[in-house]
Amino acid sequence: MGKALDGVRVLDMTHVQSGPSATQILAWMGADVVKVEATSGDITRRQLRDRPDVDSLYFTMLNSNKRSITLNTKKPRGKEIFLDLVRRSDVLVENFAPGALDRMGFTWEALSEANPRLVYASIKGFGPGAYADFKAYEVIAQAMGGSMSTTGFEEGPPLATGAQIGDSGTGMHTVAGILAALFQRTHTGRGQRVQVAMQDAVLNLCRVKLRDQQRLVHGPLAEYPNDDFGDEVPRSGNASGGGQPGWAVRTAPGGPNDYVYVIVQPAGWEPITRLIDRPELAEDPEWSTPEARLDKLDKMFSLIEEWTVQIPKWDVLAALNAHNIPCGPIMSTREIIDDPTLRANGVITTVDHPERGPYSTVSSPIRLSDSPVDVVRSPLLGEHNADVYRGELGLSDEDLAELASNGVI
């Protein structure tokens, strides 16, 4: 059975996380992703190493199913080879600092002239304007995209989320743009430029907070647990922020992740009152309706927590699910990596690496019925130089030796 993107060649000039997360999705979907690295390699091969002298988990978990070649695009012969690769590719993805490729002579106009069918995707920290030249990192994107100001508790500082919404979140947006451009190319025959900014991607993921910012004009946000409202959306702890109230309640034995997140729908209130041994609250007019409970959500979840704190979280989960009450345990990273369901579904998978041995990684979150994903290990630095340069560009062994001696590959 073929893959969804069989026949699509992606030239991957990305590094660190935002770009590699995008090209890895394309590789999982079947594209031939050729990672073009400097002779020193992607910096994440060496960052956050848990073992000396082997590629880090940071690199291996973002670069599976790709091929690796080395190329010094600052040298004249390197530039020529790069343009040869561009002419043979469908997609080019890069996340260098603003203007870096332009200064090498690889402007959109030059690349489009070399290959009019090329889809050229760029990831930057920010769009045009006042922030364009700012350096962007994951948490800076969260800070400037609306996430940090709305994450945390009312009296506490702004907080970053553990989800990499700035880097990998931007990568997922980039995948959508690339696939749309490839689809349009089937009608027009032309490639196009795809540009995604990290700040913009985070902001898109925070759109409900902009919804609430505009609702503030008409008064306090009743579904928030906050006592006071100013002229901007406050931090509201673990409140769901949606139409149904939710909160993380403690469970036994009281460890750092012994919590269950519970959402109280109108239909769930009566069974909850029975579970917490307060059945009279189901009929009490002070508690029986969502409107009546709205001004005492903190008290409501305190009552629920008086019950949950005595029971292990998985038992709480079972009791709530038996009554179709929306809930979920707070799962630690250890619980996730060992979870039998995630393992059985292939969401967490084990990959063998020739230098570091087996390691666990995350598989594709996107499942296609006719294009299953097989996670293949990340490539060693320059592992596919001969395959690409000799087998595809037609260079000889003598050519490769000369390029290596001149520092081109």
Side-chain angles (χ1 to χ4, degrees), residues 125-126 130-132 134-149 198-200 202-203 206:
F126 307 93
Y131 310 136
F134 282 23
K135 288 186 176 180
Y137 282 79
E138 167 66 43
V139 183
I140 292 175
Q142 290 190 31
M144 297 183 67
S147 177
M148 287 186 70
S149 69
M198 293 170 67
Q199 181 187 29
D200 302 353
V202 171
L203 182 56
C206 291

Side-chain angles (χ1 to χ4, degrees), residues 211 327 344 348 357 359 370 396:
R211 171 202 68 190
C327 60
I348 301 292
Y359 64 94
D370 286 351
S396 65

Side-chain angles (χ1 to χ4, degrees), residues 332-402:
S332 71
T333 50
R334 169 51 58 193
E335 287 173 311
I336 288 172
I337 210 167
D338 291 338
D339 186 79
T341 299
L342 294 176
R343 287 279 178 181
N345 289 336
V347 179
I348 301 292
T349 188
T350 299
V351 177
D352 200 29
H353 189 275
E355 294 182 345
R356 69 174 301 117
Y359 64 94
S360 293
T361 191
V362 182
S363 183
S364 174
I366 303 167
R367 301 184 185 186
L368 304 179
S369 61
D370 286 351
S371 187
V373 171
D374 299 311
V375 178
V376 179
R377 68 162 174 89
S378 60
L380 302 176
L381 179 61
E383 181 176 351
H384 300 94
N385 278 355
D387 291 348
V388 173
Y389 294 137
R390 184 175 58 202
E392 297 178 17
L393 296 189
L395 301 181
S396 65
D397 289 340
E398 291 76 15
D399 292 330
L400 293 183
E402 181 181 355

